[in-house]
Amino acid sequence: MSDLRERATALDSADPLAALRELFTLDDTVYLDGNSLGALPRHVPARMQDVITREWGSLRIRSWDESGWWTAPERIGDRIAPLVGAAAGQIVVGDSTSVNVFKAVVAATRLAGEGRDEILVDATTFPTDGYIAASAARMTGHRVVPVAPADVPAALGPRTAAVLLNHVDYRSGRLHDLPGLTAAVHAAGALAVWDLCHSAGALPVGLDAHRVDLAVGCTYKYLNGGPGSPAYLYVAERHQEAFDSPLPGWTSHADPFGMTPGYVPADGSVRGRVGTPDILSMLALEASLDVWDGVSVDAVRAKSLALTDFFLECVAAYVPEGRVTPVTPAPHAERGSQVSLRCEVPEETEPVMRALVERGVVGDLRRPDVLRFGFTPLYVGFADAERAARILAEVLGV
């Protein structure tokens, strides 16, 4: 144990991202649940105080123009863009991830054209994605085909309209092959829709480089936007002119204040808007993104892999073989920024996580038997990883 503690100290001392931890409101808890809700950046409360008291309280309706409220969805989208490898003008912020999945899937089927009536859906996906895809299929006359990501190339065919995939599996932390699968989807003449909820802000995505068609993601995990912060929708520039949103709201109209009965879509990413932007949560997100100024996503990825490697090493050293089994892939090319451990006895899973939380290690679980530990490189260090593994061993009675 002393060797691993000493290594953790040395690794933290050499960590080029270590100083970023001071940008967040944290205590001595080991917080390994940033893959569900990111920590609060310290400066956000002051920014929100100004938004509430001055922009809303004093300027009131004038803030739509004078404080830039009206353009916030596109402006904040342009700030997220570099974090997911996209050029400006392709991301709009607003609505929930679920709503944006609906927009993206329906729009993808419309872009695919006639004769394609199948939507392939990641069979291991976060449940809501599957629910939304099934509803979209019923509404558009398509058929949903559940398929494991690795089996997508073999399942593609002339009837495939769109494929909806998660970049990182929310249970296991497995990183799927976005470049390879997107290329396979395109070779079959279909469109690729990616859910980035568990990858954006943790690893490079490369939306433009890999010619992804549409993508969605939340902002309250690795982007630290706050509980329920608005999601985002990416529409590749080459599709924007033909992008036909199934939710044509007034704020995506070419002349929103004309209030005309006929809908004419705006140009660019604005087409992804629907109703009035949720300004308070949106501006909290915008302030939160300040912590990314000058931060390289490649550096974040390098630290993420080093952290998860070290945590797995500590678990292997501290916890007797067989008590927990890693389900997160060992190869770096297949790993997101979390480590999932399967409990040998499923009934122990919830009591073990409760005990960890009581002892200052906050992770979460997925029933029936998976303990999840998310590693957010902006504020999690190597000493955190060592302490979490050591306390896990103690909780398991070692």
Side-chain angles (χ1 to χ4, degrees):
M1 285 191 182
S2 61
D3 288 345
L4 287 171
R5 288 191 200 181
E6 289 174 5
R7 279 184 53 204
T9 300
L11 288 167
D12 281 332
S13 297
D15 175 17
L17 301 180
L20 295 173
R21 181 183 177 95
E22 298 304 314
L23 300 179
F24 294 86
T25 301
L26 295 165
D27 50 26
D28 61 355
T29 298
V30 176
Y31 188 64
L32 301 181
D33 210 5
N35 55 326
S36 288
L37 177 64
L40 171 68
R42 289 183 183 275
H43 66 284
V44 170
R47 169 59 179 142
M48 295 313 297
Q49 181 70 19
D50 180 62
V51 169
I52 292 168
T53 59
R54 183 180 63 84
E55 294 185 8
W56 179 14
S58 298
L59 295 178
R60 295 178 289 276
I61 196 71
R62 293 163 53 193
S63 274
W64 286 104
D65 290 322
E66 295 179 27
S67 300
W69 289 2
W70 184 256
T71 58
E74 299 81 57
R75 182 177 71 245
I76 302 170
D78 284 348
R79 292 196 64 184
I80 292 172
L83 303 179
V84 292
Q90 299 178 100
I91 293 179
V92 64
V93 173
D95 306 310
S96 67
T97 307
S98 300
V99 171
N100 284 319
V101 167
F102 177 76
K103 295 178 203 173
V105 170
V106 173
T109 64
R110 292 173 175 175
L111 287 165
E114 299 295 326
R116 292 181 175 270
D117 60 358
E118 292 183 348
I119 303 171
L120 271 57
V121 177
D122 181 350
T124 63
T125 190
F126 189 78
T128 292
D129 285 13
Y131 305 157
I132 295 291
S135 179
R138 292 194 299 272
M139 293 175 64
T140 59
H142 287 67
R143 182 172 72 96
V144 166
V145 180
V147 58
D151 298 331
V152 163
L156 292 164
R159 297 178 62 180
T160 307
V163 182
L164 173 62
L165 294 165
N166 271 349
H167 196 189
V168 173
D169 185 281
Y170 77 103
R171 284 193 186 90
S172 68
R174 175 179 291 276
L175 173 65
H176 296 304
D177 180 12
L178 183 147
L181 290 172
T182 300
V185 170
H186 288 168
L191 283 87
V193 181
W194 285 91
D195 182 330
L196 309 179
C197 285
H198 287 85
S199 59
L203 53 92
V205 177
L207 292 179
D208 287 353
H210 303 306
R211 294 185 61 77
V212 168
D213 299 294
L214 300 107
V216 301
C218 66
T219 61
Y220 49 79
K221 299 182 189 296
Y222 296 109
L223 298 184
N224 310 296
S229 57
Y232 56 90
L233 170 68
Y234 164 89
V235 181
E237 184 178 11
R238 65 186 181 278
H239 292 309
Q240 288 180 2
E241 187 174 349
F243 176 77
D244 184 6
S245 174
L247 297 172
W250 75 280
T251 71
S252 64
H253 197 287
D255 183 14
F257 294 98
M259 302 299 172
T260 56
Y263 179 74
V264 179
D267 293 330
S269 64
V270 177
R271 288 192 183 197
R273 293 174 62 151
V274 183
T276 306
D278 40 355
I279 289 299
L280 295 183
S281 58
M282 193 166 291
L283 296 184
L285 165 63
E286 182 175 36
S288 296
L289 292 171
D290 289 348
V291 301
W292 286 95
D293 290 348
V295 176
S296 160
V297 177
D298 288 334
V300 169
R301 175 60 167 166
K303 181 178 176 182
S304 165
L305 291 171
L307 278 169
T308 49
D309 278 344
F310 185 66
F311 178 68
L312 286 166
E313 181 182 352
C314 291
V315 169
Y318 294 165
V319 180
E321 186 175 356
R323 295 303 305 276
V324 293
T325 303
V327 295
T328 303
H332 286 180
E334 299 174 17
R335 186 193 310 166
S337 197
Q338 72 183 56
V339 172
S340 295
L341 304 175
R342 177 169 287 120
C343 284
E344 177 186 25
V345 181
E347 294 77 13
E348 289 184 346
T349 307
E350 293 191 36
V352 165
M353 185 52 69
R354 281 199 302 271
L356 286 170
V357 173
E358 289 169 359
R359 299 186 61 170
V361 176
V362 178
D364 66 7
L365 60 89
R366 288 294 177 262
R367 291 181 292 178
D369 58 0
V370 172
L371 301 168
R372 292 197 323 169
F373 302 93
F375 289 82
T376 307
L378 298 188
Y379 53 78
V380 173
F382 293 89
D384 295 322
E386 188 277 334
R387 179 181 165 196
R390 176 163 33 89
I391 292 177
L392 173 63
E394 294 170 358
V395 165
L396 289 171
V398 177

